[in-house]
Amino acid sequence: MKMSDFPSMGTFLLPSGQVLYRVQSPSMDVSKVARGPVVLHAGPEKFGRFDLSDRPTAYFATRPQTALHEAVYRKNTHELKNTALEGRELIAVATAAPQSLADLRPYSAHFPVLQSVRLKETQELTNELCQERFDGLISRSAQQDGHDCVILFDPPADLFRLLWRSPLSHAGGQGHQWVQVADRGARIPFKG
């Protein structure tokens, strides 16, 4: 998929101070890189729809429950293991500078591939958008209708200011509050 497949490519200016949410595993290993409080996959395998071929890509949601639906409570999931939340955290960060994003939201209905798992198509588009000097993209969530996700291409560490972080499995934490909201809406049973 190429930019030329779209009638035009609008730009969305993500403002400085924008709050973004992400579910991540905070533990580091050789396949991860830290960008401030954000831990990104940096290995050669590319699993995400909008992964770059040669640099890390940061996936965020504009709402905490959307981050949980994207990472844990996915539409095609029929059950979750009791350990699904262990070792993972929900973080909230604020951006320290504006970011110029390709706006894919108007095309969600006409290009279902944007919300599919046909990775070759969407990753090809991502690489072209990065070459065209976009800082990332904004798209509709594939997991929660009407909500948005922000994908940032190889973001610098100083772009993020940590607002809070909370383990998903910690009963008293802020992250757990949002786990309860996502769990109530998704209705996915947990099994041993």
Side-chain angles (χ1 to χ4, degrees):
M1 177 168 251
K2 303 246 184 239
M3 283 178 63
S4 60
D5 292 328
F6 300 92
S8 65
M9 187 58 66
T11 300
F12 176 80
L13 187 64
L14 188 74
S16 178
Q18 175 70 49
V19 177
L20 300 171
Y21 303 89
R22 174 180 172 80
V23 172
Q24 65 182 18
S25 173
S27 62
M28 292 295 293
D29 62 37
V30 295
S31 69
K32 296 179 183 177
V33 61
R35 299 294 169 88
V38 178
V39 177
L40 303 174
H41 174 75
E45 307 85 13
K46 302 302 174 192
F47 304 110
R49 277 182 298 151
F50 298 111
D51 280 356
L52 292 169
S53 61
D54 60 347
R55 287 171 273 171
T57 307
Y59 289 77
F60 294 95
T62 57
R63 297 178 182 211
Q65 68 270 31
T66 306
L68 284 158
H69 282 281
E70 287 286 328
V72 180
Y73 294 94
R74 298 180 65 82
K75 287 180 180 178
N76 61 347
T77 301
H78 297 284
E79 68 181 36
L80 290 166
K81 293 187 178 196
N82 287 333
T83 58
L85 304 177
E86 290 178 12
R88 297 171 100 180
E89 65 182 2
L90 178 64
I91 67 168
V93 297
T95 56
Q99 299 293 293
S100 178
L101 307 179
D103 192 349
L104 298 180
R105 295 173 298 179
Y107 302 113
S108 294
H110 301 291
F111 290 91
V113 67
L114 295 173
Q115 296 180 336
S116 75
V117 291
R118 290 186 289 283
L119 303 182
K120 181 179 180 261
E121 296 288 330
T122 51
Q123 289 174 0
E124 180 181 53
L125 175 63
T126 302
N127 284 308
E128 185 178 1
L129 292 172
C130 185
Q131 290 170 1
E132 292 294 321
R133 305 286 184 234
F134 283 103
D135 297 315
L137 62 91
I138 186 166
S139 70
R140 293 288 183 210
S141 169
Q143 301 300 320
Q144 195 174 34
D145 294 339
H147 294 257
D148 295 335
C149 292
V150 170
I151 293 86
L152 297 174
F153 305 149
D154 197 17
D158 61 357
L159 180 60
F160 307 112
R161 181 174 53 89
L162 181 66
L163 301 176
W164 53 263
R165 70 178 353 127
S166 182
L168 296 184
S169 58
H170 185 261
Q174 198 162 6
H176 188 70
Q177 162 195 340
W178 292 110
V179 166
Q180 290 176 319
V181 170
D183 191 49
R184 188 169 39 254
R187 307 276 182 184
I188 300 173
F190 281 83
K191 304 251 175 162

